[in-house]
Amino acid sequence: MGSSAAYHLARRGMRVLGLERFAPAHDKGSSHGGSRIIRQSYFEDPAYVPLLLRSYELWEELKQNSGVDVYSITGGLFIGPPDSTTFSGSLRASEQWGLDHEVLTDREVHQSFPAFEPPAGQFALYERMAGFARPEFTVRAHIGLAEQAGADLHFGEPALSWTDDVNGVSVHTEAGTYQASQLVVCPGAWAPKILSDIGIRIKIERQVMYWIDHSPGSPSMEGGPIYIQENNNVEQIYGFPPIDGPAGGAKVAFFRKGTECTPDTIDREVHPDERRDMLDRVSQLLPGLSGPVLDTATCMYSTTPDENFVIARHPLHTNVSVACGFSGHGFKFVPVVGEILADLVEHGTTDHPIALFDPARLASA
């Protein structure tokens, strides 16, 4: 979100300083792992769809302006029991906003995509415009375009603290103090520390991503759809085709099956029992994805009590805009969040529908 905000602010002709504690496109937070799902049939809440439609426009603009393949359309399957959030919520959003979609039975899913064998009685919503974004490519593309537009970006220089008064904002690092008229804070998993005065609880959770090999002779997933599947225990997994070829495996993960942590205490080791759980669960949908596990990585979700984002002017500081609490489903919004933050800095408001993300809703949560 910070790289996108820097780009959108700089392209509007503003003088921009960006401060990042790690290297560009690092693997210490929530924006790594090679892929993130993008989709429009939003089962979380149809209210997100207008932002997604704009985000898709900006994904294409970013791709054209940077010359980097930051996203790809593969189609997507959102599978579950007929009354599940994953299926019924996706269907509701698609019908409400007239999105291109198709409803498939479990047999029809297998006929169209032989690698998939959903449990009997489950349904899938197939969205043609779903696909994946490449997080590291996206961050680097925004950084490159921001710098071309004149942004001054400092890496390896964490912000230690910031203050706000009638003269503007001051940000303190080990290298010195910087002053500006406006501040944008995109803290990721560091939100509980950096935005402790915002008055809401943001839970940080460790999540694990897995890259799994196909068993010989099983149907290929290459060129296939991304997917999210919910079982009868309301447990969701999500995954991708083998994006960089079968030798790298197909990426899969649990959605919201993490352990609470902090950026300082996260366990970066992935344990044998976790690998077994993932293999057992994904084989219920994709029998050919039976292992071995070729690679793993950890990341962090920053989750608000209602799992919706926080994007707003800081409730106590009119010169400060914040974007945090993206709750494991935020990366697809990166381009439009940068645009929204640039609006808040330039105009104090935005035409985008962001009332859902007002931190006031969580003040007593």
Side-chain angles (χ1 to χ4, degrees), residues 260-330:
E260 197 161 351
C261 67
T262 72
D264 296 324
T265 63
I266 181 173
D267 180 5
R268 296 289 185 182
E269 181 182 356
V270 179
H271 303 281
D273 60 325
E274 294 178 304
R275 295 169 185 252
R276 287 193 298 270
D277 286 348
M278 187 76 262
L279 286 169
D280 289 346
R281 177 64 176 84
V282 74
S283 67
Q284 298 169 24
L285 176 66
L286 293 152
L289 205 59
S290 58
V293 175
L294 301 175
D295 199 8
T296 61
T298 58
C299 70
M300 290 178 283
Y301 284 3
S302 306
T303 303
T304 65
D306 64 2
E307 299 177 0
N308 293 314
F309 310 155
V310 173
I311 309 174
R313 287 282 202 174
H314 194 294
L316 304 177
H317 305 279
T318 57
N319 294 332
V320 180
S321 301
V322 300
C324 62
F326 288 96
S327 302
H329 62 109

Side-chain angles (χ1 to χ4, degrees), residues 8 36-40 51-66 68-73 132-135 137-139 141-142 330-336:
H8 282 279
R36 291 291 186 278
I37 285 175
I38 58 173
R39 53 192 167 94
Q40 296 179 352
L51 292 176
L52 287 163
L53 297 176
R54 176 56 178 160
S55 199
Y56 266 62
E57 294 174 349
L58 292 171
W59 278 115
E60 181 59 22
E61 182 181 287
L62 179 64
K63 187 174 187 176
Q64 295 300 322
N65 290 347
S66 67
V68 178
D69 285 331
V70 291
Y71 83 102
S72 297
I73 299 300
F132 63 87
R134 289 182 174 268
F137 288 10
T138 299
V139 173
H142 276 131
F331 198 89
K332 60 188 72 62
F333 297 90
V334 162
V336 73

